[in-house]
Amino acid sequence: NAEYMGIIRKDFFFCINFIKNMEQQPNQEIKPYVATEEDIKRTWSSCAQNYEKSQEKSTLLLGLTMLSLLEIQEADTIMEVGCGTGCLAVEIVRKKRKDAKFICVDVAEEMISLTSQRLSHVIKNGFSQNQEIEFQYNQPNVTPEHQFDEINTRLILRNTESLTGIEDNSVDIYVSSLNLHIATNPSNQLKETVRVLKNGGKCAFVVWGRKENCLFFTLLMNAFEEFGIQQPLKRLSLIHI
């Protein structure tokens, strides 16, 4: 339908803008480029507004499927790593017990800021899906970390590969939707997952499927290759591990 095609069209232009936002370097030596933590912070903060307007609705469905496989209401402490613009965080707050602790983590300051605004809206107006949120983007001199006592939720700015300040064996459920593949070292994120999880705790990840089955994310680069267009910089995939 028209709404779905509109989302697809916006997603395509989001991907184009995402590529443009990534720092380009001369291709003097063809070797994979691994994004640094600062690259990831800068890129996702700069893309936060476009992501909120174009992609979050389509990717939320994947996160909701993941949540449906977990017993959120049984957990005392829940952590979402790579919370993005906060759509899934709202659903976790909706599903969890009121006394359960919820920790939201993202490496990008602007993403945490949008999540904070979204949760503030929920506290003030409830969970109505029909209410539009007037987001404030790129607010200077505003710390994104926040504690929402009303919903027992804490937002923290952290590298997903180094969850400093989070105790060992302290989390019952750890979720991460479409985040593992953009970590500079996914193995480090998995090690941190194991460290913070309690014995018997549960973790769940959403990642994209096999590259050959993800036409949307490979179409552009495959077209470059087919027409002999030299990519300005060979990068490790931001879509597939």
Side-chain angles (χ1 to χ4, degrees):
N1 58 35
E3 181 180 1
Y4 180 76
M5 292 306 296
I7 291 173
I8 293 296
R9 184 169 61 252
K10 288 179 181 178
D11 280 357
F12 177 77
F13 285 110
F14 168 81
C15 287
I16 297 296
N17 288 330
F18 184 87
I19 292 170
K20 288 180 179 179
N21 279 331
M22 290 300 289
E23 190 175 59
Q24 299 297 307
Q25 300 178 16
N27 194 12
Q28 298 176 354
E29 181 181 357
I30 303 297
K31 62 181 182 180
Y33 170 76
V34 180
T36 65
E37 180 180 343
E38 287 304 314
D39 287 336
I40 293 173
K41 284 182 179 180
R42 181 178 60 253
T43 298
W44 285 103
S45 281
S46 66
C47 289
Q49 182 174 352
N50 282 335
Y51 191 93
E52 179 268 319
K53 292 182 178 302
S54 67
Q55 269 213 326
E56 63 176 28
K57 287 183 180 179
S58 53
T59 57
L60 174 61
L61 297 176
L62 303 175
L64 291 176
T65 300
M66 173 179 64
L67 291 188
S68 71
L69 303 175
L70 300 167
E71 297 172 333
I72 296 293
Q73 289 188 336
E74 308 240 342
D76 294 324
T77 302
I78 304 151
M79 172 181 284
E80 183 190 3
V81 171
C83 62
T85 56
C87 276
L88 193 60
V90 168
E91 295 304 316
I92 292 173
V93 170
R94 187 204 300 266
K95 291 176 180 291
K96 77 178 186 69
R97 299 194 321 267
K98 289 185 177 180
D99 64 329
K101 182 189 300 183
F102 179 35
I103 306 169
C104 270
V105 182
D106 205 284
V107 73
E109 186 169 321
E110 186 68 1
M111 290 294 193
I112 287 285
S113 173
L114 296 186
T115 298
S116 178
Q117 293 177 57
R118 182 164 258 134
L119 292 177
S120 296
H121 180 85
V122 165
I123 291 170
K124 182 178 179 180
N125 301 287
F127 290 100
S128 173
Q129 296 287 346
N130 299 322
Q131 295 175 343
E132 292 294 326
I133 304 176
E134 293 292 332
F135 285 108
Q136 301 297 315
Y137 302 104
N138 302 312
Q139 298 183 81
N141 304 319
V142 175
T143 176
E145 299 198 4
H146 193 77
Q147 173 73 36
F148 293 98
D149 292 328
E150 303 93 330
I151 52 177
N152 205 6
T153 295
R154 178 185 171 204
L155 304 186
I156 61 173
L157 190 68
R158 294 287 188 282
N159 184 339
T160 61
E161 301 170 49
S162 179
L163 299 172
T164 55
I166 305 299
E167 296 180 358
D168 297 356
N169 307 312
S170 60
V171 174
D172 296 291
I173 291 180
Y174 172 114
V175 297
S176 182
S177 182
L178 300 177
N179 179 264
L180 186 62
H181 53 273
I182 63 172
T184 57
N185 188 328
S187 294
N188 287 343
Q189 182 171 337
L190 292 174
K191 289 177 182 176
E192 278 293 85
T193 304
V194 173
R195 180 184 70 78
V196 301
L197 273 177
K198 295 178 182 178
N199 292 332
K202 298 177 181 178
C203 62
F205 297 86
V206 173
V207 294
W208 296 114
R210 292 182 179 277
K211 190 180 297 187
E212 57 270 23
N213 295 331
C214 292
L215 177 63
F216 177 76
F217 291 113
T218 56
L219 181 63
L220 188 61
M221 294 307 162
N222 287 344
F224 284 168
E225 185 176 339
E226 182 175 343
F227 287 95
I229 299 174
Q230 181 86 8
Q231 297 180 42
L233 185 65
K234 184 176 179 61
R235 296 180 179 274
L236 297 180
S237 175
L238 290 171
I239 305 301
H240 299 94
I241 297 176

